Amino acid sequence: QVQVVESGGGLVQPGGSLRLSCRTSVFGSFIKFNNMSWYRQAPGEERELVASTTGMSSPIYADSAKGRFTISRDDAKHTVLLQMDSLIPADTAVYYCSVNVQWDAFTRGDYWGQGTQVTVSS
């Protein structure tokens, strides 16, 4: 089992910055974390991928996040961060962290946090 907890959300003015943090607690032995990702869901919208990193190649970003958001991971601490700069009202959403854990050679699982609210408004 994996516990995923996001933090760092809040209210920020347009043009401002926020840094989201995702901490994980793993119960049981595992091999590694594969993808660590951030998604978001705005009211009335479907959940969408914001950024994702495998740690083995360049991160991928949604077009809306390119040049403004930066995802990074700490494999020693099993955490993933999302630095968000130049925020705009369209970034308002609940942001979710998702991690994929490789339990053994044949088993992996996806785990999600409860989300953290980001509101961009003047």
Side-chain angles (χ1 to χ4, degrees), residues 34-115:
N34 296 314
N35 285 28
M36 302 182 79
S37 308
W38 286 96
Y39 288 76
R40 70 185 182 187
Q41 187 168 18
E45 301 289 333
E46 293 188 354
R47 191 171 298 187
E48 63 175 359
L49 177 68
V50 176
S52 183
T53 174
T54 65
M56 300 178 64
S57 60
S58 298
I60 61 172
Y61 296 93
D63 286 343
S64 59
K66 289 179 181 177
R68 301 189 299 124
F69 295 1
T70 303
I71 189 171
S72 60
R73 61 190 281 166
D74 184 330
D75 285 316
K77 297 180 179 179
H78 308 304
T79 60
V80 59
L81 304 177
L82 184 68
Q83 177 67 38
M84 305 188 296
D85 300 317
S86 303
L87 285 161
I88 60 177
D91 294 319
T92 296
V94 177
Y95 284 71
Y96 297 90
C97 176
S98 174
V99 299
N100 182 274
V101 178
Q102 188 82 39
W103 293 105
D104 57 37
F106 308 102
T107 309
R108 61 175 64 185
D110 291 315
Y111 303 89
W112 293 80
Q114 293 298 308

